[in-house]
Amino acid sequence: MSLGWYYCAAERICLPASAVMRMNTNRGQISMKFDLNKFYRFCRELTVETKEMGMQKLGTRLLGTQSYVMQEIAKGLEDNKHFFVILKGRQLGITTISLALDLYWHFIHPGFQGTLTTDTEENRDQFRTTLAMYMDGLPPEYKIPLMSHNRNQMVLKNRSRMFYQVAGLRSKGSLGRGKAITYLHGTETSSWGDEEGLASLLASLAEKNPARLYLFESTARGFNMFHDMYITAKRARTQHAIFCGWWRNEMYSIEANDPIYKVYWDGKMSPEEKEWVKDIKKIHDFTINTRQIAWWRWKLNEGIKDEALMYQEFPPTEDYAFIMTGTSYFSTSRCTDAMKEAKKHLPGYYRFSMGQYFEDTELMRSTDRLATVCVWEEPQPNGYYVIGADPAYGSSDWADRFCLQVYRCYADGLDQVAEFASSELNTYQFAWIICYFAGAYRNSTLNLEVNGPGQAVLNEMSNLKRQAASLPEKYGTGLFAVLANMQHYLWRRNDTMGGWSNSIGWMTTAATKERMMSYFKDYFERGMMAVKGQDLIDEMKSIVREGSSIAAYGRNKDDRVMATALACAAYAEQVQPRLMQMRLTRKTVQAQDLTAPESQVVGRQINNYLQYIGVKPNG
């Protein structure tokens, strides 16, 4: 046995230690070279039972889906990413190839501690049996001998071992306890019910080992824990999200000479089919053919028989994968279009540094990972704005973030220009942030959710006004101007004939929520509203109507949605009628922006705003 080899039994499928890892000179970090040819050579020695062709050697005819996922893992490792979340359709062979990788990785890395985590005991036993059959069918020169193999773990003579764990459908919190894990394969993660256990499992993962590898693969089952993992992986620097569509499986196609093809291909795609065929081409550079369309229709009509479930089990794109019970409140296709547009408009990123007093508040540039403030358009002197502000636990018991949305208003619509969202805040600090934005975006109308903590926010804003009156003129004048420039939304019932009441802000009930959400939905789906925040659009996708209830599905958040709905209500009932009288459409206002003298654009840089109004940060 040569110590120079990770897998010592056969040079033809193993790599010398020096070749497994290499220094990434661009970032000074260690990345990993995963040689797919050697892995596929190993796979050709594994016997599998296929659904369509019976007993086969795994590596002799890999499905396009299997090759694609392995290529993405190899590319991710090259880029120093070791954590992969794989969103897949049904029966694409991903679990089969991943089990082969489980075995291979423990063969070539002595002393590794891995875990295969399943959703049920039945699947654990099935996969353990699959691995045992893989081992039994390998030629002696291709395998590391077993020391033991039972329902709890597989132990190899190279001191690597793989534990078998069951996440279960209910919370237990015991996953990963007492283990230091360098390899993980989690399967059907969308069915896991143990959120605490997942957190424990992730806490046990190695962070520095250059050969570490963590895979979570699953179909979607709504907006759940796996959905959150997938979205996180899409945005993370050290993780990689992989979407594997059914159309990468060449078996999912009906030949043109098959009678079924003539039944299900009538020469024309439906509008929705055209939409996702176009998306697949644009996002993945893959052209769907008529034989695949015929298969899709056949599977839907004679197999699944439910369009929503068909999209879950065989999603054309990731946006179609996560379905919900109830009816999606916002149009899925409209949300998809809005997300494409939002990706073209990246914001400036900031975060607040909060001090003991309002005048200590400072807005600093930040990164997209740490930012609590996104700014798409800086304040315009001739702009009219609405601000929707929803304190934590204001609109609902599960809305645990303070959120503020700023929209620029026109007679013919409104555009998102800034957003604040954070759970790490107090009510008095949220009042300061509202004043900060209201002063920066002048000529603004604030609609504040006054349920629960909203009353404390209003009280602090009154305190600030009293404070402004007592400050020296240099500071008090600027602070008072902040509050003077802001108008409050004044509550009224829509069935009253008279003027406005003296009630400030919005109190959300079942009836008033329907009212403000209807404004939001109408403006968005009529194309009158430019939503630029990708996080907001993600929240919109999870909003469902079930009976009279409109709310985020499952464990999803709706803080950004509620803040935007508050802004839409203020726009519809107080701001738009004024702008229509003034004929301030987008076209006329944008022409004014272009001709505004530079002297009128004082204070555009929001980071210098406190100095502009006469308050010294940290002074």
Side-chain angles (χ1 to χ4, degrees):
M1 182 176 290
S2 167
L3 296 178
W5 295 93
Y6 269 94
Y7 171 49
C8 313
E11 291 188 15
R12 54 181 174 158
I13 67 162
C14 62
L15 292 169
S18 60
V20 175
M21 296 168 286
R22 64 184 179 86
M23 184 68 70
N24 187 321
T25 55
N26 291 331
R27 290 186 299 274
Q29 297 173 334
I30 294 178
S31 61
M32 182 168 185
K33 173 69 175 176
F34 176 24
D35 192 322
L36 286 174
N37 290 328
K38 294 182 184 296
F39 173 59
Y40 292 156
R41 201 175 303 159
F42 173 78
C43 289
R44 285 197 287 271
E45 301 297 329
L46 301 176
T47 303
V48 296
E49 306 85 24
T50 67
K51 183 174 69 173
E52 305 293 351
M53 296 178 289
M55 300 278 281
Q56 295 280 320
K57 291 293 185 180
L58 176 60
T60 55
R61 188 181 175 186
L62 289 175
L63 297 174
T65 50
Q66 295 171 321
S67 299
Y68 173 73
V69 169
M70 289 301 111
Q71 287 165 9
E72 287 297 300
I73 291 172
K75 283 193 283 187
L77 289 169
E78 284 267 7
D79 197 32
N80 199 35
K81 294 180 179 179
H82 300 260
F83 191 108
F84 299 86
V85 182
I86 305 164
L87 172 60
K88 62 179 187 176
R90 288 285 179 198
Q91 300 295 308
L92 300 183
I94 306 305
T95 301
T96 300
I97 194 77
S98 297
L99 288 170
L101 186 61
D102 296 346
L103 206 59
Y104 179 78
W105 216 257
H106 286 78
F107 278 10
I108 67 172
H109 296 111
F112 252 45
Q113 285 202 95
T115 179
L116 172 59
T117 306
T118 63
D119 54 336
T120 63
E121 292 187 2
E122 179 183 3
N123 279 337
R124 176 201 60 192
D125 294 342
Q126 177 186 341
F127 297 152
R128 182 173 61 86
T129 302
T130 298
L131 288 171
M133 290 192 292
Y134 280 175
M135 288 282 288
D136 290 343
L138 277 173
E141 66 272 18
Y142 272 84
K143 63 183 173 184
I144 301 291
L146 281 170
M147 291 182 66
S148 67
H149 194 192
N150 53 46
R151 68 194 307 268
N152 296 316
Q153 63 179 337
M154 175 178 67
V155 183
L156 302 171
K157 283 198 172 179
N158 66 354
R159 301 183 67 85
S160 283
R161 56 182 171 176
M162 184 163 63
F163 300 99
Y164 298 116
Q165 296 191 90
V166 178
L169 309 180
R170 295 177 183 172
S171 180
K172 296 183 293 184
S174 59
L175 287 176
R177 298 287 184 191
K179 299 177 179 68
I181 297 172
T182 46
Y183 181 92
L184 186 150
H185 176 194
T187 183
E188 287 307 325
T189 315
S190 63
S191 297
W192 295 8
D194 192 356
E195 188 168 353
E196 181 185 349
L198 175 62
S200 171
L201 190 64
L202 296 179
S204 68
L205 302 181
E207 298 178 359
K208 302 294 184 183
N209 191 314
R212 66 193 184 280
L213 180 57
Y214 312 121
L215 312 176
F216 293 88
E217 42 98 358
S218 183
T219 51
R221 292 188 63 202
F223 290 85
N224 52 25
M225 190 164 62
F226 178 70
H227 170 264
D228 291 352
M229 291 179 67
Y230 186 76
I231 295 300
T232 298
K234 281 181 65 178
R235 298 174 182 174
R237 173 59 192 87
T238 59
Q239 300 181 23
H240 184 38
I242 302 172
F243 170 72
C244 188
W246 61 268
W247 34 268
R248 293 190 186 276
N249 185 350
E250 55 272 23
M251 305 293 289
Y252 291 160
S253 175
I254 297 176
E255 293 302 319
N257 58 2
D258 192 311
I260 297 176
Y261 175 85
K262 296 174 183 177
V263 171
Y264 286 103
W265 175 247
D266 57 2
K268 187 176 181 181
M269 286 188 283
S270 69
E272 188 155 21
E273 288 168 347
K274 286 181 182 177
E275 187 67 27
W276 52 255
V277 165
K278 182 176 70 175
D279 287 345
I280 291 169
K281 178 62 178 177
K282 184 174 181 179
I283 299 169
H284 302 283
D285 194 25
F286 188 99
T287 302
I288 298 291
N289 59 46
T290 60
R291 299 185 302 279
Q292 291 171 304
I293 295 291
W295 177 87
W296 166 270
R297 294 174 176 179
W298 166 77
K299 191 70 173 180
L300 171 61
N301 287 277
E302 298 189 21
I304 305 297
K305 299 180 182 177
D306 181 286
E307 188 174 57
L309 285 175
M310 184 71 180
Y311 282 130
Q312 174 184 274
E313 303 296 291
F314 299 95
T317 70
E318 63 183 41
D319 287 333
Y320 286 88
F322 298 99
I323 68 165
M324 303 156 287
T325 59
T327 304
S328 296
Y329 187 73
F330 295 99
S331 161
T332 301
S333 61
R334 182 73 184 90
C335 286
T336 301
D337 291 340
M339 183 63 83
K340 292 176 192 172
E341 193 63 28
K343 289 175 180 178
K344 302 175 186 176
H345 301 282
L346 297 180
Y349 296 107
Y350 302 85
R351 64 183 177 87
F352 278 103
S353 173
M354 309 299 294
Q356 187 175 359
Y357 302 104
F358 173 75
E359 56 265 30
D360 298 327
T361 304
E362 185 178 5
L363 193 64
M364 306 181 298
R365 288 200 175 271
S366 186
T367 65
D368 60 340
R369 302 278 191 266
L370 301 175
T372 56
V373 176
C374 294
V375 176
W376 288 272
E377 181 185 298
E378 293 167 352
Q380 301 290 335
N382 61 332
Y384 289 84
Y385 299 94
V386 286
I387 300 174
D390 186 20
Y393 305 106
S395 58
S396 67
D397 292 338
W398 55 90
D400 60 357
R401 291 176 297 194
F402 292 87
C403 190
L404 179 148
Q405 298 282 356
V406 185
Y407 284 81
R408 187 172 182 183
C409 302
Y410 309 91
D412 53 351
L414 63 168
D415 298 344
Q416 187 180 21
V417 295
E419 173 185 275
F420 168 83
S422 176
S423 58
E424 299 175 2
L425 212 63
N426 295 309
T427 51
Y428 71 89
Q429 292 172 324
F430 191 50
W432 298 354
I433 288 170
I434 291 172
C435 291
Y436 193 101
F437 276 98
Y441 291 91
R442 306 173 72 182
N443 301 321
S444 59
T445 299
L446 168 69
N447 193 6
L448 171 67
E449 170 59 65
V450 294
N451 266 333
Q455 295 292 334
V457 175
L458 270 179
N459 185 62
E460 177 60 20
M461 292 171 74
S462 298
N463 289 339
L464 284 176
K465 189 173 288 189
R466 287 189 288 270
Q467 177 188 343
S470 64
L471 282 173
E473 185 175 350
K474 179 181 178 183
Y475 299 111
T477 302
L479 182 54
F480 194 82
V482 172
L483 297 160
N485 279 322
M486 176 178 62
Q487 300 177 50
H488 282 282
Y489 170 84
L490 297 177
W491 168 260
R492 74 169 182 183
R493 287 178 53 182
N494 269 359
D495 57 0
T496 58
M497 298 293 293
W500 300 91
S501 73
N502 292 322
S503 178
I504 290 176
W506 187 278
M507 187 168 288
T508 300
T509 64
T512 63
K513 186 174 185 179
E514 178 88 37
R515 176 171 145 193
M516 68 179 184
M517 289 295 288
S518 293
Y519 288 136
F520 184 4
K521 178 180 173 69
D522 288 349
Y523 292 139
F524 177 70
E525 297 194 357
R526 289 167 64 189
M528 294 175 62
M529 188 174 185
V531 176
K532 300 175 184 176
Q534 296 181 42
D535 290 326
L536 170 57
I537 297 169
D538 280 335
E539 284 189 14
M540 291 166 65
K541 291 177 183 178
S542 72
I543 301 296
V544 298
R545 178 189 283 280
E546 290 189 280
S548 61
S549 170
I550 304 172
Y553 177 77
R555 47 178 294 177
N556 287 276
K557 306 294 185 185
D558 63 359
D559 312 81
R560 291 179 173 88
V561 168
M562 291 298 105
T564 293
L566 289 165
C568 288
Y571 170 75
E573 297 179 3
Q574 285 188 209
V575 180
Q576 188 186 28
R578 260 191 303 141
L579 298 181
M580 291 176 73
Q581 288 180 345
M582 299 163 67
R583 299 183 180 179
L584 292 179
T585 63
R586 281 189 176 91
K587 186 176 181 180
T588 58
V589 171
Q590 287 165 2
Q592 292 173 16
D593 287 348
L594 292 174
T595 59
E598 189 62 29
S599 60
Q600 292 182 11
V601 195
V602 144
R604 266 196 182 180
Q605 292 300 321
I606 194 169
N607 202 31
N608 297 324
Y609 168 65
L610 284 181
Q611 291 93 325
Y612 163 59
I613 64 170
V615 177
K616 274 187 196 170
N618 304 319

